[in-house]
C-alpha cells in the first residue's frame, strides 16, 4: 500500500496527538468508492455508484480496551468517536497483554496494489464488458440462460497511526466480472457461475468466465443422487481453497491460546500427510490477497505453517503473540473501520505436486471428483474437527470420470482428512480467495446419498 | 427528480449501536458505533441507478441523486413535482427500555453472569465467549409515488458459545437470544439458564457418536427447524428469483407443493420477533402473508419494483441491510403453523431415525431446490426413543421433495433462535419457527455406516 493519502494520515495523526498520559491510541481511517453494474437481458438492471468513509479508534489504558467508530470523517463526529472509545475503556477487564503493535523492524515487501488503468477506465466500457460477458455466456450453450452478468470494482485508501509509533497509509484498487447461469432440461434447472478478477479490466478473461459458467450449470443436468459409501475424493482447486479456509481457523494463534484449536500443543508433531506443506505468504504478488502490511500496520510476511505434515507454528497478531510468548507474524486482520483487528491467515498456499487433475483421477479406483461444496459454514466445526458438507461432482470409476452426481454429502473429520491425503496436484490456481487452489486427493471419506 | 425517471426513492438511516464481547474470562472491549447515511434510487424503464452517501447535507444528497439518475436516465430530462403523504405510523414492536438509557455496566454484567453460569457446569467447560449487541435504527423512506414513511427498529441480542473438553477432543455449544424489543428482554428471559443450556449441549456432545450416513427419517424439534422452511422453500418464494426463472416454485401458485399438513406464513408483524418490522425498507407496512395453505402455494413475497411491474399488491418484504444497499425481496419471520399431533407420539412412532434438537445455518440453491443445513445438536431415535447424542453434520435435501415428505406435524409451535439471512451479499435479521415435525426421509451426512 504505497503512495496513499496524506489527508487521511493527517486525520489519524491528529487523533493520536490527543492521547492523554498513560493512554495508547490507535486511529484507523478509511475511504472508498465502488461501482457495481448488473446486466440482465442486454440492459443495465442496476448501476450502483457509492462512496464511503469512516474512522475507528481504539484506546487502551491500564490494560483495558475501548473502541468506537463512525461512518463519517466529519470533524465533530471524530471528536465524539474518540470520546466514546475513551468512555468504553472503563468497562473492559484489565488484561496484562492488551496493547497496540509496535514497529518490529521487519521490512515491508512492496506490492503493486494500485492500478492507474483501472482508475481511469471509463464507465461506458465497464458496462460494455458486463454486456459482452452476458452475450458470450448465453451463446456458449443453447441450454444456458444468464441469470445476471456483473462488473464490480472498488478503490480504497487507508491510514493508520498509533501512539506506539505505527504510521502507515496506502491505497489499493481491484475489479472483477462475474456471471450466474441457469441451465434447463425439461423440468430440471441447475445453476452455475463464472468469474474473472484483475487489478485492471485488461486482465480479464471473459471467454473463460463464460465457458466455466455454462459448464458448471450444464454438467449437473441429469445428475443423480449417488449411493452411500466410503470413497476417495478428488477436490477441484476451487474446493481445496475452501477446505484450506476451514483449516486456517485451527492455525489461528488466538484460537490456540483460547483453547479453540485442534492443533494446540502439537507444534513439532505430525498433523497431516508428509505430502502436505502449507505456507501463508501474502508477499507473493500472485496471491489474490497479497498485501504489504497487516491490519495493525506491521509488515506482512511469509510464514511456514505445516512442513511435510509436521506442524511448524501458528499465525499471530501482536496481542496473541504477546500472550503466547512469541512475536507477531504480521497476521493481524481487520474488516474495515467498524471493528478491531483479529488474527487470521492472509494468503495460504499448499505446496503443489507435479501431476494434472486428469492424472490424479486416472489413479482413483472408486471415487468422486468434488466440483462444488455447499454448506461448509453449517456442517463443519473447526473446533471439534467434524467435517460434513453438501457436494456435487462427477463419479470416478476405475480411473474414468462418470455420471454427474448431486444432493449428497461428504464427511470425515479434519484430523483424519489431513492424514488421509493421497496426493496434491500441480495445477495451482490463484483464485480470488484467501487460499490458492490446487487439486487434492483424500482417501476414505464417507459419501452419504440415497 | 430533476432528471425525471419512472420512480425515485430516498432511504435515510441513522443507527447507533453498542456491542460488548467477553472471551476467555475477560470483557475484551465495549464498542460504540454510529452509521448514518442515505441511499438514492432512480428507476427508468428496466434500469435502476443507485448511489449512497454518508453526507446528509443538501450538497451530499444532491451529488448522490445526480449519480443515481445519471445512469438510469439517458433519455429526456423533465421535472416532476411530487407531493408526499405521510403514512400513518405502523407500530409493531413496543419498546420499554431504550438501549441508550441503559448504562454500559449493566450490559457488560450480562456477559459476566453468562460466563459464570456456563463455567458453573463443571470442569469439562474449557472456554466461554459471549457477545452482547444492541442497536437503535431510525429509517425514513420517501418516493415519487408520494409515499413518506418512518420506522424505528430497536434490537437486542446475546450470543453464547461454549467449548467443552473431553478425552476425544473438543465439542461446542451455542445459544442465542434476540428480539426486536428493548433492554427489558433480559428481565423477561433467564440468561443464566441460556448459558447453562449452551454448556450442557457441549458437554453432552462429548459422548456423541458419529452421525449415520444415508437417507433416514428425521424428526425436528419445535423451534429448532424453521431454517428448514427458510431454505427449502422460503427463498424460492421470493418474487425476484421467481420472475427470473431461478426458482423451482415458478408458475406453481395454486398447486400442491407441500404435504397438506403444511401451512407456511411469512409475518413481519409478529411483535418482538427478530424479523419484525413496522415498515419494510421501501416504506410499506409489514404484513402477515400466507405463502402455503394446507400444502397449496398461495403467493410469493414481493418487493416494490416486482409488485409494481406485475400489478401485485405489496407484501412488505422489500428489505436491505443498510443505506448502502439496494432493497430486494427478503423474508421476515417465516413459520409453519401447528398441526394436531403430540410431539412425544411422533417420536414414539419412529422406529429408527434422527432427532434434531438444534439446527445451525443452511443454504439453498433456489433453482434446483437442493439445500443443506447443519445439525448442531441431534440424537439417534431407536425403537421410538431418543438414545445417543450424535456428532455434528449436514443434512441435505431437495426443497420440493422434503415439503412433500413431511408426514407428521405436532401442536407444540415455538419460534427459533434469531437468524441473519444472507442473499446477494446482504444480511438482514429474520426469525423462524415451527412445531415438532417429521420428514419421512432425508440424507444425513454423517460417517457411520
Amino acid at each position: 500500500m504505497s503512495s496513499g493519502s496524506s489527508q487521511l494520515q493527517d486525520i489519524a495523526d491528529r487523533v493520536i496527538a490527543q492521547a492523554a498520559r498513560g493512554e495508547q491510541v490507535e486511529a484507523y481511517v478509511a475511504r472508498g468508492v465502488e461501482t457495481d453494474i448488473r446486466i440482465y437481458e442486454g440492459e443495465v438492471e442496476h448501476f450502483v455508484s457509492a462512496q464511503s468513509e469512516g474512522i475507528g479508534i481504539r484506546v487502551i489504558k491500564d490494560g483495558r480496551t475501548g473502541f468506537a467508530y463512525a461512518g463519517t470523517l466529519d470533524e465533530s463526529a471524530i471528536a465524539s468517536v474518540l470520546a466514546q472509545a475513551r468512555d468504553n475503556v472503563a468497562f473492559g477487564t484489565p488484561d496484562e497483554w492488551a496493547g497496540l503493535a509496535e514497529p518490529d523492524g521487519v521490512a515491508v515487501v512492496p506490492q503493486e496494489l494500485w492500478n492507474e488503468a483501472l482508475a481511469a477506465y471509463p464507465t461506458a466500457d465497464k458496462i460494455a464488458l458486463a454486456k459482452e460477458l452476458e452475450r458470450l455466456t448465453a451463446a456458449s450453450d443453447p441450454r444456458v440462460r444468464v441469470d445476471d452478468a456483473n462488473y464490480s470494482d472498488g478503490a480504497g485508501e487507508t491510514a493508520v497511526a498509533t501512539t506506539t509509533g505505527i504510521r502507515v497509509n496506502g491505497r489499493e484498487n481491484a475489479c472483477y466480472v462475474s456471471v450466474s447461469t441457469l441451465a434447463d432440461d425439461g423440468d430440471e434447472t441447475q445453476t452455475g457461475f463464472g468469474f474473472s478478477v484483475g487489478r485492471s479490466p485488461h486482465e480479464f478473461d471473459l471467454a473463460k468466465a463464460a465457458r466455466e459458467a455454462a459448464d458448471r450449470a450444464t454438467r449437473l443436468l441429469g445428475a443423480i443422487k449417488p449411493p452411500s459409501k466410503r470413497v476417495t475424493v478428488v477436490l477441484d482447486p476451487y474446493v481445496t481453497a475452501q477446505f484450506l479456509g476451514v483449516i486456517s481457523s485451527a492455525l489461528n494463534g488466538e484460537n490456540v491460546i483460547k483453547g479453540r484449536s485442534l492443533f494446540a500443543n502439537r507444534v513439532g508433531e505430525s498433523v497431516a500427510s508428509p505430502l502436505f506443506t502449507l505456507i501463508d505468504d501474502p508477499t507473493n504478488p500472485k496471491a489474490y490477497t497479497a498485501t504489504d502490511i497487516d491490519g495493525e500496520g506491521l509488515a506482512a510476511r511469509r510464514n511456514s505453517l505445516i512442513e511435510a505434515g509436521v506442524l511448524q507454528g501458528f499465525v499471530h497478531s501482536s496481542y496473541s503473540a504477546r500472550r503466547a510468548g512469541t512475536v507477531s507474524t504480521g497476521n493481524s486482520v481487520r474488516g474495515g473501520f467498524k471493528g478491531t483487528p483479529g488474527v487470521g491467515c492472509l494468503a495460504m498456499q499448499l505446496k503443489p505436486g507435479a501431476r494434472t487433475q486428469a492424472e490424479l483421477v486416472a489413479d482413483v479406483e472408486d471415487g468422486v471428483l468434488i466440483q462444488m461444496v455447499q454448506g461448509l459454514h453449517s456442517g463443519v466445526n473447526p473446533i471439534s474437527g467434524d467435517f460434513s458438507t453438501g457436494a456435487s461432482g462427477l463419479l470416478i470409476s476405475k480411473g474414468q470420470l462418470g455420471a454427474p452426481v448431486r444432493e449428497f454429502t461428504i464427511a470425515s473429520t479434519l484430523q483424519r482428512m489431513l492424514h488421509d491425503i493421497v496426493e496434491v496436484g500441480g495445477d495451482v490456481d490463484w483464485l480470488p480467495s484467501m487460499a490458492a487452489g490446487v487439486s487434492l486427493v483424500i482417501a476414505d471419506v464417507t459419501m452419504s446419498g440415497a | 427528480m430533476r432528471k425525471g425517471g419512472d420512480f425515485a426513492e430516498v432511504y435515510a438511516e441513522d443507527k447507533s449501536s453498542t456491542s460488548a464481547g467477553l472471551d476467555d474470562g475477560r470483557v475484551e472491549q465495549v464498542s460504540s458505533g454510529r452509521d448514518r447515511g442515505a441511499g438514492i434510487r432512480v428507476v427508468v424503464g428496466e434500469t435502476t441507478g443507485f448511489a449512497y452517501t454518508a453526507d446528509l447535507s443538501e450538497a451530499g444528497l444532491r451529488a448522490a441523486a445526480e449519480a443515481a439518475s445519471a445512469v438510469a436516465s439517458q433519455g429526456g430530462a423533465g421535472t416532476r413535482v411530487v407531493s408526499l403523504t405521510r403514512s400513518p405510523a405502523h407500530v409493531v414492536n413496543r419498546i420499554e427500555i431504550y438501549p441508550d438509557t441503559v448504562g454500559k455496566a449493566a450490559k457488560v454484567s450480562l456477559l459476566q453472569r453468562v460466563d459464570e453460569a456456563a463455567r458453573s457446569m463443571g470442569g469439562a467447560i474449557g472456554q466461554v465467549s459471549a457477545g452482547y449487541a444492541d442497536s437503535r435504527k431510525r429509517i425514513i423512506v420517501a418516493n415519487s409515488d408520494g409515499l413518506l414513511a418512518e420506522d424505528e427498529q430497536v434490537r437486542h441480542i446475546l450470543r453464547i458459545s461454549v467449548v467443552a473438553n473431553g478425552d476425544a477432543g473438543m465439542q461446542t455449544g451455542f445459544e442465542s437470544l434476540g428480539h426486536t424489543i428493548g433492554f427489558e428482554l433480559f428481565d423477561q428471559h433467564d440468561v443464566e439458564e441460556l448459558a447453562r443450556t449452551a454448556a450442557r449441549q457441549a458437554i453432552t456432545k462429548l459422548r456423541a457418536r458419529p452421525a449415520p450416513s444415508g437417507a433416514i427419517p428425521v424428526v425436528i424439534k419445535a423451534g429448532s427447524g424453521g431454517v428448514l422452511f427458510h431454505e427449502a422453500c422460503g427463498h424460492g418464494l421470493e418474487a425476484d428469483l421467481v420472475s427470473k426463472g431461478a426458482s423451482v416454485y415458478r408458475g406453481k401458485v395454486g398447486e400442491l407443493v407441500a404435504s397438506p399438513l403444511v401451512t407456511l406464513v411469512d409475518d413481519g408483524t409478529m411483535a418482538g420477533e427478530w424479523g419484525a418490522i413496522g415498515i419494510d425498507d421501501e416504506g410499506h407496512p409489514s404484513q402477515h402473508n400466507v405463502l402455503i395453505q394446507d400444502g397449496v402455494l398461495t403467493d410469493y413475497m414481493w418487493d416494490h419494483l416486482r409488485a409494481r411491474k406485475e400489478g401485485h399488491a405489496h407484501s412488505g418484504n422489500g428489505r436491505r441491510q443498510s443505506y448502502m444497499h439496494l432493497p430486494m425481496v427478503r423474508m421476515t419471520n417465516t413459520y409453519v403453523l401447528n398441526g394436531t399431533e403430540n410431539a412425544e407420539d411422533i417420536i414414539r412412532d419412529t422406529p429408527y431415525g434422527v432427532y434434531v434438537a438444534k439446527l445451525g445455518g443452511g443454504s439453498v440453491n433456489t433453482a434446483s431446490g437442493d439445500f443443506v443445513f447443519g445439525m448442531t445438536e441431534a440424537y439417534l431415535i431407536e425403537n421410538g426413543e431418543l438414545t445417543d447424542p450424535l456428532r455434528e453434520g449436514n443434512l441435505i435435501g431437495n426443497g420440493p421433495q422434503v415439503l412433500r415428505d413431511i408426514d407428521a406435524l405436532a401442536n407444540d409451535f415455538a419460534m427459533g433462535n434469531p437468524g441473519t439471512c444472507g442473499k446477494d451479499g446482504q444480511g438482514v435479521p429474520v426469525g423462524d419457527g415451527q412445531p415438532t415435525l417429521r420428514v419421512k426421509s432425508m440424507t444425513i451426512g454423517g460417517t457411520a455406516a
Side-chain angles (χ1 to χ4, degrees), chain A residues 34 38-40 43-53 58 64-72 84-85 87-89 91-97 123 127 145 147-148 182 184 186-191 225 228-230 254 257-263 319 323 337-340 374-381 383-391 406-413 415 446-450, chain B residues 15 17-18 22-36 46-54 63 67-68 71 74 103-105 108 112 126-129 161 163 165 168 170-172 205 212-215 241 243-246 248 250 306 323-324 326 360-376 391-398 401 424 442-449:
Chain A
E34 64 168 64
R38 172 164 291 180
I39 302 296
Y40 182 61
E43 299 293 332
V44 176
E45 180 178 295
H46 72 225
F47 184 102
V48 178
S49 159
Q51 43 197 323
S52 58
E53 58 184 29
R58 221 170 9 145
R64 302 172 196 258
T65 303
F67 177 76
Y69 76 85
T72 169
Q84 284 275 7
D87 185 53
N88 289 342
V89 165
F91 305 96
T93 310
D95 180 347
E96 60 184 296
W97 295 289
T123 298
I127 294 173
R145 290 180 284 142
D147 194 6
D148 50 54
L182 299 160
D184 304 304
D187 270 354
E188 184 188 356
T189 301
Q190 297 296 340
T191 61
K225 188 165 177 147
S228 301
K229 60 178 175 178
R230 291 211 168 180
E254 184 166 347
I257 51 178
K258 290 181 173 173
R260 287 194 191 93
S261 166
L262 47 87
F263 289 149
Y319 172 77
R323 279 192 64 175
F337 62 83
K338 293 189 184 183
T340 51
Q374 184 186 12
L376 272 184
H377 67 297
S378 56
V380 177
N381 184 329
I383 298 177
S384 68
D386 288 326
F387 183 97
S388 168
T389 179
R406 58 174 253 256
E407 207 195 329
F408 65 98
T409 61
I410 51 171
S412 180
T413 64
Q415 296 93 324
T446 304
M447 173 167 73
S448 302
Chain B
K15 178 178 170 184
S17 50
T18 304
L22 176 147
D23 196 4
D24 203 24
R26 292 185 189 86
V27 177
E28 293 194 322
Q29 72 188 22
V30 173
S31 305
S32 308
R34 181 77 184 268
D35 297 275
R36 209 166 62 128
E46 300 292 309
T47 300
T48 297
F50 180 70
Y52 61 77
T53 177
V71 75
Q74 288 149 357
K104 289 168 186 167
V108 164
Q112 288 158 333
Q127 194 53 278
V128 179
S129 72
S161 300
V163 178
N165 299 317
M170 292 177 281
Q171 285 294 343
T172 57
K205 275 153 66 179
S213 157
L241 299 173
S243 73
K244 279 190 169 181
V248 279
R250 66 184 180 276
R306 237 67 51 168
Y323 71 87
M324 298 185 183
L326 269 169
S363 66
V364 64
N365 178 329
T366 56
S368 68
D370 289 352
F371 68 90
V372 295
F373 56 87
M375 44 177 202
T376 54
R391 295 190 67 150
E392 283 179 48
N394 259 321
L395 285 135
I396 191 160
N398 181 264
Q401 186 63 43
D424 218 0
M442 280 190 79
T443 297
I444 306 266
T447 57

Side-chain angles (χ1 to χ4, degrees), chain A residues 138-201:
Chain A
S140 61
D141 190 303
R143 295 168 295 174
V144 168
R145 290 180 284 142
V146 177
D147 194 6
D148 50 54
N150 304 281
Y151 168 94
S152 296
D153 64 34
E157 44 182 337
T158 56
V160 188
T162 71
T163 50
T164 52
I166 302 278
R167 193 170 183 275
V168 289
N169 61 67
R171 59 178 182 164
E172 114 172 64
N173 61 358
C175 54
Y176 69 91
V177 285
S178 66
V179 60
S180 306
T181 48
L182 299 160
D184 304 304
D185 186 10
D187 270 354
E188 184 188 356
T189 301
Q190 297 296 340
T191 61
F193 62 89
F195 55 81
S196 187
V197 299
R199 288 277 161 211
S200 103

